[in-house]
Amino acid sequence: MIKINNDKTIISLNGFSYVFDLLQGRVFARLTKDINSLKPITEVKEDMHISYPLSISSFGHIDFRERMLHINDENQYYTYRFIFKGWDIINNFVDKEYFPHSNHKNKGLKITFIDESESVCLEQYYFDYEKDNTIVSFIKITNLKEKAISIKRAMSLQLDFEDLGYHITTFTGKWAHERHITKNDVNYGVFKNSSTCGCSSSFNNPAIMVNNDQLYCLFNLIYSGNHMSLVETDHNDTTRVLIGMNDFMEDIKLEKGESFVTPEATLTIGENENEIRNYSHHFIKDNILRKGTDFPIIFNSWEAAYFALDKTKWQKLANLATSVGAEVYVFDDGWYGENRIDETSCLGDWYLNSNKIGTKEEIKSYLKAKNLKMGLWIEPEMCNMNSQLFKKYPEFAMKFPNLEPVLMRYQLILDLANKEVIDYLIETLTNLFKDMEPDYVKWDYNRLFTDVFSKHVLGGNYVYKFYEGLYRLMSTLCQRFPDIIFEGCASGGSRFDLGILNYFNVIWTSDGTDAKERVFIQDGTSMVYPLCTESNHISISPNHQTNKRSSLEDRINVALFGQMGLEIDLTKASKNDLNTIRKNISYYQRNKDLILNGDNYVYRDENNNVISWGSINKEKTEAIYLVVSLNKEFKQVKFNGLNKATIYHLSFRSQTNIDKETFPDLSGEYLMEKGITISTLFQESDKEENEIGIASRTIRFTAVNK
Ligand code: DGJ
C-alpha cells in the first residue's frame, strides 16, 4: 500500500516499510522493519561528505559511491543534480507493451525529478506487490533540451543501507553447472555480479540476495540481456545496492523530447531464506508468468538420439514414450533443413526434412495414433553460414563487414536489432507453426555475443536493441499462437531469467542432467524461481555430461521437483526400468499439484552434505519432501516449514533399490527441530552406491491429527 504525504511517502509491505523522506529537494529512501525507530533526516549538509540513503544518485552531488546514472552531453557535461518536483500515485504504466514487465496490477508511485540545468527529467517508478513482499522499480529519462544527451549508465533500482556487514548470495556457474549458490561477504569496496556475453548467462544469474541476520533482500531484473548489480560498502560504513542493465557498451542517445525506460528490477524482502524463496515464487507466479502452471509430460529426443533422429529411431522412442505415460514427443535438434546431421549446417532453415523424419502427415498420424502431442525444437535467433538463410540474407547475421567472425558451435547470431530480421522471423515462424501445428515449441539459443555490429543501431546500445527485437518476436508469436506451450532454453539454462519467463512459462533448467550435479543446480534455481518454471528430465546413466553413474531412482527423485520429463534413450532401458519410469510418471501426476503449487522449504546441514526440499500445502497437512545425502555421511536431516503441533505420517515413494518403508508418526516440531537420522531411510547398499552418486528418497507427509 502506498501513502503519499507532503514530505513523506510510505510503501508498506507485510511487516516492512519503504520510507521516502523529502528534504531540500532530495528524496531519502529507507527500508525498515521498525518504522518507529527510523531516525528522521532533518537537514541536508550539501558541503559535507555524508553518505545519505538516497532513492537516486548521479554525478554532481557530494556522493562518491557507485551511481545509478551517468549521463553526458556532446560537450562532455556530466553534472546532473536532480531536484525533486513531485510525487503521484499512478494506476498503470505502459512503455512498450511487448517489452517484459510485471503486471502492474497494484498502484504505483512516480517520483519526478528535473536536473538543476533543466536539461533532463527523471521519473522513478515503484510498483508495490504487497502480498508477495515485492517492489518493482525502474526509471524513465527524458531529454528536455535541444542538445542530444547520451546515457552511459541507467540502473533500475537503488537501495541504500545505513550500515555495513552484509552477505551476498549469487547464482553462478557455467554450461551444465548453472546457478550454484555462491556466498560472499561484502567488505569495503565494490562487489559486482554481471554478464557481458549478450545474455543473462549461466555464469552469473541476474538474481542476487543481500542479507544480514534480520533482513533478506532478493534483487532481480526482468530482462535477458547483459545485467549488472553492484554492492558497495563505503568509508562512511554504509552499503549501496544497484541493479540494472550492464553499462558495458551502453551509450543511449536521446534527442530532444526522447525518453528511455529501463527494464524493471524487483526487490523481494523477508526475514530468512525460506521466506524470500516463497515470496519470490509467488511474485513470479502471480505477476510475471502469463499462463497457468499446467504442463504436460515431455519426452525430448536430444540425449536419446542427438542428430540421428531418423524415422525408425523416433518412432521406436515414441512407442516407448507413450507406453510409460509421456504426453508430448519433442523433436529436438535435427528435424529440419536439407540435411541437419550435425552442428555445422542448416541452422536457420525452418522446414521439415521429410526424407529423414517422414512427411508432416506421417508424423501427425503416427503421433495421434500413439496419443502423443507434437513438439518442435527451434533456434530462431541463429544461423549457420552453411545454410540457405545465410546464403540468401548474409546481412541478417551479426558480424563485422570485413572481419572473419568468431564462430561458436559453427553459428552466428542474427541481427535482431534489424527490424527486417524480426519481420522475416515472424513470418517464417508463423508459417512453420501454421504448417506443422506443433503443440509445444522448445526455443533454444546456443552461443554468446562476440562480433557485435549492426548498421541499424547508432551509438552503443546494441544489446538492448537486440532484446527489444527478440521480445517483439516472442510476444507476437505468443499472441498469435496462444495454445502453443513454449519452453525457453539457452545451451541448457543460460537464459534463465524473468525476461524469458514473461513469455515462456518453463525453461530447460540445464544440460547438466547428472543427478548429483542437478541437486546443486535446482537448489540454486529454486531459491529464486518457482519449481513450475524448471524443466527437469530423467536421463541415462552413466551421464552424458559427467560420465558418472547414478541410480534411476535417484534421477527420478531429483527430476520430480519441477516439471518432470524424459530425455533418456528408452530403447536402451530394461523392462524393469521402463516399469519404474511408468510407475513414477503416475506418482508424479498424482503429486504434481502439491509439488508445483505448494510452498517451498529447504533445509541444508552446515556442510551442505544433507539437503531436504519440501513442498507443503497452505494448511500444512500435506507435504512432499526430497531427502538427499550428497556424500557418504548419513547424519541428521531436518524438515523446514511444517506445523509444530501436527503429527505427520510418513509414506515413502517406493524405490526398487530400497525396501525400508515403515517409520513412526512424528510431530512437526520433532521433524523440524530434531529431524531423523538419514541412515534409517536407506540400507547398506545405498551407502555404497552413494560413493559414486547420491542417495535420495521422496517422502510424503500427511497430517494424522488434522
Ligand atoms: C542445447 C540444449 O540445451 C539441448 O537440450 C539441445 O536442445 C541442444 N542445444 C540441441 O542443439
Side-chain angles (χ1 to χ4, degrees):
M1 210 181 47
I2 304 172
K3 260 204 215 139
I4 294 191
N5 230 322
N6 283 345
D7 56 358
K8 193 186 242 19
T9 284
I10 300 172
I11 304 181
S12 343
L13 303 165
N14 295 311
F16 289 92
S17 307
Y18 209 168
V19 181
F20 299 87
D21 291 294
L22 170 65
L23 205 70
Q24 291 171 233
R26 304 182 79 181
V27 175
F28 303 93
R30 289 178 292 172
L31 188 64
T32 181
K33 184 145 180 61
D34 179 8
I35 198 162
N36 298 324
S37 72
L38 208 59
K39 287 198 196 95
I41 295 172
T42 49
E43 176 183 22
V44 189
K45 296 175 185 154
E46 289 283 10
D47 57 336
M48 307 220 351
H49 182 207
I50 298 171
S51 299
Y52 289 108
L54 297 162
S55 77
I56 56 159
S57 54
S58 64
F59 183 75
H61 284 291
I62 301 182
D63 180 354
F64 298 101
R65 290 167 287 183
E66 287 286 347
R67 296 170 188 95
M68 185 179 221
L69 288 158
H70 286 184
I71 301 176
N72 78 351
D73 68 10
E74 60 212 10
N75 301 325
Q76 300 303 317
Y77 181 90
Y78 274 100
T79 297
Y80 290 87
R81 278 193 278 272
F82 286 97
I83 311 295
F84 172 85
K85 291 292 164 195
W87 37 37
D88 301 290
I89 301 265
I90 51 162
N91 291 317
N92 203 351
F93 180 90
V94 183
D95 179 36
K96 301 171 200 103
E97 192 43 60
Y98 61 84
F99 205 85
H101 55 270
S102 58
N103 62 15
H104 300 160
K105 67 180 181 205
N106 295 349
K107 290 192 185 319
L109 168 68
K110 175 170 104 175
I111 313 180
T112 308
F113 302 85
I114 294 185
D115 87 292
E116 267 178 4
S117 64
E118 302 199 335
S119 317
V120 177
C121 172
L122 175 69
E123 287 163 8
Q124 181 170 36
Y125 291 86
Y126 293 94
F127 278 89
D128 128 58
Y129 296 89
E130 188 175 355
K131 182 167 123 339
D132 306 318
N133 253 26
T134 295
I135 287 172
V136 161
S137 185
F138 54 95
I139 59 172
K140 176 175 176 180
I141 301 164
T142 308
N143 182 6
L144 303 175
K145 280 274 165 75
E146 295 298 328
K147 281 186 292 187
I149 56 165
S150 157
I151 304 170
K152 305 282 188 189
R153 177 190 284 182
M155 305 297 276
S156 303
L157 170 65
Q158 170 173 311
L159 178 60
D160 283 351
F161 299 108
E162 292 171 286
D163 54 1
L164 76 177
Y166 287 85
H167 311 289
I168 300 185
T169 307
T170 48
F171 304 89
T172 63
K174 56 184 176 183
W175 174 74
H177 195 84
E178 298 89 341
R179 293 174 299 285
H180 281 221
I181 296 171
T182 306
K183 303 229 177 215
N184 277 291
D185 291 332
V186 194
N187 222 316
Y188 294 109
V190 183
F191 177 96
K192 182 172 179 177
N193 179 66
S194 77
S195 87
T196 55
C197 59
C199 65
S200 50
S201 91
S202 56
F203 312 138
N204 303 300
N205 191 266
I208 166 173
M209 189 165 72
V210 178
N211 76 286
N212 59 20
D213 289 346
Q214 295 92 42
L215 177 65
Y216 283 68
C217 296
L218 176 74
F219 299 84
N220 208 344
L221 198 62
I222 311 179
Y223 183 57
S224 315
N226 292 341
H227 61 86
M228 178 168 82
S229 311
L230 300 167
V231 185
E232 176 175 12
T233 295
D234 78 343
H235 52 279
N236 283 328
D237 292 351
T238 71
T239 303
R240 168 168 290 173
V241 185
L242 289 163
I243 180 165
M245 277 167 34
N246 203 316
D247 58 5
F248 168 68
M249 295 200 304
E250 188 168 304
D251 187 359
I252 303 163
K253 292 267 182 309
L254 292 185
E255 299 295 338
K256 185 184 177 196
E258 285 181 344
S259 299
F260 177 77
V261 179
T262 63
E264 300 189 358
T266 67
L267 164 60
T268 303
I269 304 151
E271 289 183 33
N272 57 55
E273 236 174 71
N274 277 320
E275 217 177 84
I276 283 284
R277 163 191 301 270
N278 284 304
Y279 282 132
S280 176
H281 288 191
H282 288 299
F283 167 72
I284 294 170
K285 282 181 180 174
D286 296 347
N287 307 294
I288 300 290
L289 304 181
R290 293 189 181 194
K291 288 187 194 160
T293 55
D294 204 23
F295 193 79
I297 305 281
I298 301 301
F299 175 86
N300 179 296
S301 66
W302 182 241
E303 283 198 14
Y306 294 101
F307 295 101
L309 197 58
D310 58 42
K311 204 164 149 184
T312 327
K313 179 81 183 186
W314 82 252
Q315 291 189 348
K316 268 192 197 161
L317 286 168
N319 296 350
L320 292 165
T322 192
S323 77
V324 294
E327 295 161 307
V328 182
Y329 184 94
V330 181
F331 292 91
D332 207 282
D333 205 347
W335 61 269
Y336 57 89
E338 203 176 317
N339 197 14
R340 172 87 169 166
I341 45 164
D342 58 23
E343 295 159 344
T344 61
S345 70
C346 303
L347 198 57
D349 302 340
W350 302 116
Y351 61 88
L352 175 69
N353 180 350
S354 41
N355 292 332
K356 183 175 176 184
I357 316 282
T359 63
K360 176 179 83 184
E361 291 71 28
E362 279 169 343
I363 295 173
K364 283 192 176 159
S365 69
Y366 197 88
L367 290 179
K368 197 165 176 218
K370 299 287 163 200
N371 203 16
L372 286 166
K373 295 191 165 167
M374 192 230 290
L376 291 179
W377 175 98
I378 54 172
E379 193 179 2
E381 298 157 72
M382 307 278 171
C383 70
N384 288 125
M385 286 169 95
N386 185 7
S387 66
Q388 290 160 10
L389 170 65
F390 185 77
K391 282 175 196 141
K392 195 161 173 203
Y393 301 110
E395 73 284 2
F396 276 13
M398 190 202 295
K399 70 187 262 307
F400 286 98
N402 303 317
L403 273 186
E404 270 308 303
V406 171
L407 289 175
M408 289 169 77
R409 220 189 183 221
Y410 306 93
Q411 63 196 57
L412 295 176
I413 305 181
L414 297 182
D415 178 7
L416 300 198
N418 178 355
K419 181 178 173 300
E420 240 186 283
V421 174
I422 300 300
D423 292 342
Y424 167 86
L425 288 173
I426 289 177
E427 195 190 325
T428 308
L429 296 176
T430 298
N431 292 340
L432 174 72
F433 296 166
K434 278 193 176 154
D435 179 32
M436 293 295 288
E437 298 173 311
D439 303 286
Y440 179 97
V441 167
K442 176 177 172 190
W443 183 304
D444 207 344
Y445 168 94
N446 280 303
R447 67 155 290 177
L448 306 173
F449 279 36
T450 52
D451 296 66
V452 175
F453 171 82
S454 170
K455 54 180 195 262
H456 302 273
V457 180
L458 297 173
N461 192 21
Y462 185 75
V463 182
Y464 179 83
K465 290 281 177 200
F466 178 95
Y467 279 95
E468 248 186 10
L470 175 67
Y471 294 138
R472 183 161 76 82
L473 174 63
M474 285 166 50
S475 102
T476 308
L477 292 169
C478 288
Q479 268 171 27
R480 279 193 190 169
F481 300 94
D483 296 331
I484 295 183
I485 299 175
F486 286 92
E487 174 182 13
C489 175
S491 282
S494 223
R495 228 169 33 182
F496 207 117
D497 59 63
L498 298 179
I500 297 295
L501 286 174
N502 209 212
Y503 299 97
F504 302 167
N505 275 21
V506 89
I507 298 180
W508 176 227
T509 314
S510 175
D511 280 345
T513 48
D514 173 87
K516 184 170 183 174
E517 176 53 41
R518 200 72 187 205
V519 171
F520 294 109
I521 296 171
Q522 292 177 209
D523 198 34
T525 308
S526 69
M527 199 189 276
V528 181
Y529 303 97
L531 300 190
C532 64
T533 63
E534 291 185 43
S535 165
N536 298 339
H537 295 176
I538 300 166
S539 66
I540 209 156
S541 171
N543 183 264
H544 288 184
Q545 279 65 250
T546 60
N547 207 26
K548 289 192 182 141
R549 289 180 184 282
S550 56
S551 72
L552 178 59
E553 302 290 353
D554 291 330
R555 280 173 275 144
I556 290 171
N557 277 333
V558 179
L560 280 168
F561 280 74
Q563 303 283 7
M564 186 168 99
L566 301 167
E567 187 101 5
I568 183 169
D569 187 347
L570 294 169
T571 63
K572 296 198 176 121
S574 66
K575 264 206 173 126
N576 272 349
D577 283 358
L578 289 173
N579 248 332
T580 306
I581 294 172
R582 182 180 310 113
K583 270 201 324 230
N584 282 294
I585 287 186
S586 129
Y587 176 87
Y588 177 68
Q589 306 273 38
R590 291 196 305 278
N591 291 288
K592 188 173 163 182
D593 182 45
L594 177 58
I595 295 175
L596 300 184
N597 296 323
D599 283 335
N600 210 236
Y601 286 87
V602 169
Y603 161 84
R604 293 184 207 89
D605 74 347
E606 73 264 17
N607 303 318
N608 282 347
N609 289 329
V610 172
I611 296 181
S612 75
W613 297 337
S615 287
I616 307 171
N617 68 355
K618 282 265 159 311
E619 301 74 33
K620 297 194 185 278
T621 51
E622 295 286 339
I624 190 150
Y625 281 88
L626 173 70
V627 172
V628 185
S629 162
L630 288 156
N631 67 356
K632 277 180 289 170
E633 287 179 22
F634 283 75
K635 293 185 182 161
Q636 284 307 98
V637 62
K638 298 182 188 174
F639 303 89
N640 281 325
L642 295 166
N643 195 15
K644 275 189 177 181
T646 305
I647 306 292
Y648 292 95
H649 175 70
L650 277 55
S651 47
F652 295 84
R653 180 183 80 76
S654 78
Q655 295 193 192
T656 46
N657 59 345
I658 300 166
D659 55 18
K660 292 195 172 182
E661 299 295 352
T662 51
F663 219 80
D665 295 347
L666 292 166
S667 73
E669 183 170 20
Y670 189 94
L671 289 160
M672 290 195 290
E673 280 164 24
K674 280 208 160 35
I676 55 181
T677 312
I678 276 211
S679 56
T680 53
L681 304 180
F682 300 98
Q683 52 200 31
E684 287 310 305
S685 59
D686 283 279
K687 296 184 190 171
E688 278 156 33
E689 205 168 273
N690 196 32
E691 285 181 41
I692 48 169
I694 57 173
S696 64
R697 295 225 70 181
T698 305
I699 316 169
R700 187 159 180 139
F701 291 24
T702 310
V704 290
N705 61 338
K706 287 179 199 176

